[in-house]
């Protein structure tokens, strides 16, 4: 382990970026897995011909990303990075640029169109009861049923993410607020949207579809429900 | 700026984790945006009653995550974190646990079911030509058209991600390899899969659907194409 045979010395400049990339490459090429030990700072410093300070900073980065951790008496070992935790730390809405928000909003539409099979597969009695409560509360407190209400949107759609039983999607719930706010800020007149024809698909209708429909019927209903958002994203008939 | 009024001293233990959380909270509460300056290490150290070393390490983490960066003559400023770049650094397949791979595989199915509207909206002549080339090459080099070939799957489905014109989905292309390998490793007999009834939907049929169909017809075709994977995930009729 102490010769690091698959890693070659850097040319000259010892940027932490380069060393970090080398460390990641080393882990990959040596097929290191969670629990495996990582060679010591000093060995990397010698092999790469850079100072220990630089290697230490690169190690610190990998620790920050949760790729390695220090264990007593064992030095540094590889871990399974908690990608969702890291994702969360970065996702303060005030820090996200408008391009990222637009991408996330599109992702939201894609996920909600695509998650139907998982909802039908994993739905439980308890889930459906909670969804019923969310929809009933919404109806009791809404004067205008077509009106866009941020907190009610998040309650209903957030519950769907949770019902997918997929950890990545569940984390996406935390993103719902900034993503919904993006809609609100950019299109305050969403309530004036006129559907191309026929009836609006409400949260209750989506819920009933989830009770007695199929993934195919649910996708059609969801697309109808999301129509104003799709049209907005695609710049169609925005008033 | 030097009094940090909205941030209270920590009780006693000065863990870097706590300081990092405080820094993130400070950024959020003060509604700091990309380009805004961050108070100096020393000011935080004094306000929080911890050593500068601890604050420096917490700052380093935020730099690693791309939340702050140092500018000449300006000290630390807030940046728009490049969430996709960070995501990428963590996503070495050898580092991912099997739970994460399963979640990512499910996410793949959800994204490909959900991206139809974006494919129809953004497809270009050039895209369709490239897709045609991918499909033709695949047909010319395949003896058994139903056989699962890792590189051809990635070429075709990767192109679809690219055609979505969504940066987050494009990055997901990079994840395709480990995610497809996950399928392969866990179900080497995928080629023996028997469709419930009727015909297999090939890549060419999906492409033709993208040419002359609608998002709705494409979703039905894609679901059929992905049927073996859905059945595998849901533990249905696996041989």
């Amino acid at each position: 382990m102490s010769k690091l045979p698959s890693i070659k010395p850097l040319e000259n400049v010892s940027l932490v970026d380069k060393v970090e990339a080398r460390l990641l490459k080393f882990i990959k090429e040596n097929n290191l897995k969670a629990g495996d030990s990582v060679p010591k700072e000093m060995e990397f410093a010698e092999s790469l011909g850079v100072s220990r300070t630089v290697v230490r900073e690169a190690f610190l980065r990998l620790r920050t990303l949760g790729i390695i951790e220090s264990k007593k008496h064992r030095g540094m070992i590889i871990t399974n990075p908690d990608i969702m935790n890291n994702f969360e730390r970065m996702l303060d809405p005030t820090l996200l640029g408008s391009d990222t928000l637009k991408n996330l909003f599109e992702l939201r539409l894609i996920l909600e169109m695509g998650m139907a099979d998982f909802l039908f597969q994993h739905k439980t009695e308890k889930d459906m009861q909670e969804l019923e409560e969310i929809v009933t509360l919404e109806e009791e407190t809404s004067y205008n049923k077509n009106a866009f209400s941020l907190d009610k949107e998040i309650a209903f759609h957030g519950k769907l993410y949770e019902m997918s039983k997929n950890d990545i999607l569940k984390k996406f719930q935390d993103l719902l607020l900034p993503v919904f706010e993006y809609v609100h800020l950019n299109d305050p007149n969403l309530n004036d949207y006129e559907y191309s024809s026929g009836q609006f698909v409400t949260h209750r209708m989506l819920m009933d579809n989830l009770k007695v429909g199929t993934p195919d019927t649910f996708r059609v209903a969801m697309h109808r429900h999301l129509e104003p958002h799709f049209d907005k994203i695609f710049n169609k008939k925005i008033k």
Side-chain angles (χ1 to χ4, degrees), chain A:
Chain A
M1 208 53 151
S2 66
K3 291 225 177 147
L4 311 179
S6 71
I7 199 159
K8 293 168 202 156
L10 291 175
E11 283 108 47
N12 42 9
V13 199
S14 64
L15 289 166
V16 179
D17 284 343
K18 282 193 182 178
V19 174
E20 184 201 336
R22 279 296 174 93
L23 295 179
L24 286 172
K25 204 177 164 198
F26 178 84
I27 291 169
K28 198 164 192 158
E29 287 179 346
N30 290 275
N31 207 26
L32 298 185
K33 287 185 175 51
D36 289 348
S37 289
V38 181
K40 291 191 174 58
E41 268 175 28
M42 209 174 61
E43 297 173 29
F44 276 107
E46 282 172 11
S47 296
L48 295 169
V50 298
S51 74
R52 283 187 66 170
T53 316
V54 169
V55 176
R56 189 172 306 130
E57 194 170 332
F59 265 112
L60 247 171
R61 288 193 186 175
L62 299 192
R63 279 174 66 180
T64 298
L65 294 169
I67 291 170
I68 58 174
E69 62 181 6
S70 54
K71 283 270 182 189
K72 267 186 185 167
H73 312 303
R74 287 202 52 200
M76 288 290 187
I77 66 160
I78 305 280
T79 52
N80 282 145
D82 183 350
I83 56 172
M84 285 307 122
N85 176 40
N86 284 328
F87 213 49
E88 213 174 349
R89 284 198 282 176
M90 288 174 267
L91 286 174
D92 179 343
T94 60
L95 296 180
L96 297 176
S98 63
D99 285 351
T100 303
L101 275 175
K102 180 168 186 288
N103 278 323
L104 284 172
F105 182 67
E106 291 187 1
L107 183 60
R108 185 220 142 177
L109 298 178
I110 291 168
L111 293 174
E112 296 192 19
M113 285 304 298
M115 66 167 68
D117 291 278
F118 292 84
L119 298 180
F120 279 85
Q121 178 67 22
H122 296 306
K123 65 178 177 179
T124 63
E125 273 300 314
K126 189 164 166 292
D127 285 329
M128 294 310 295
Q129 270 168 25
E130 280 178 42
L131 211 52
E132 174 82 47
E133 282 164 24
I134 289 165
V135 171
T136 303
L137 182 68
E138 179 183 349
E139 289 169 348
E140 283 170 355
T141 53
S142 295
Y143 295 103
N144 174 1
K145 281 191 182 157
N146 287 1
F148 184 88
S149 150
L150 196 57
D151 54 343
K152 282 150 200 165
E153 282 292 302
I154 291 168
F156 183 84
H157 291 272
K159 179 65 190 167
L160 295 187
Y161 283 92
E162 188 198 316
M163 286 173 66
S164 72
K165 304 288 191 286
N166 179 292
D167 290 336
I168 298 176
L169 258 68
K170 281 193 232 172
K171 280 284 176 198
F172 198 77
Q173 279 184 84
D174 305 329
L175 286 174
L176 275 177
L177 189 61
V179 166
F180 274 105
E181 274 175 351
Y182 169 81
V183 180
H184 237 13
L185 289 172
N186 285 275
D187 190 4
N189 297 318
L190 202 62
N191 293 333
D192 296 334
Y193 182 84
E194 277 175 28
Y195 280 77
S196 49
S197 66
Q199 205 182 3
F200 179 56
V201 169
T202 62
H203 287 164
R204 177 166 294 280
M205 286 154 81
L206 282 175
M207 181 184 71
D208 289 342
N209 207 312
L210 194 49
K211 270 186 204 152
V212 299
T214 67
D216 277 333
T217 64
F218 187 82
R219 273 186 283 269
V220 172
M222 182 58 91
H223 194 271
R224 184 77 180 159
H225 179 71
L226 297 173
E227 192 184 298
H229 303 312
F230 275 112
D231 283 357
K232 176 179 169 309
I233 281 282
F234 297 149
N235 291 312
K236 285 178 190 164
K237 54 174 175 155
I238 292 299
K239 303 168 75 172

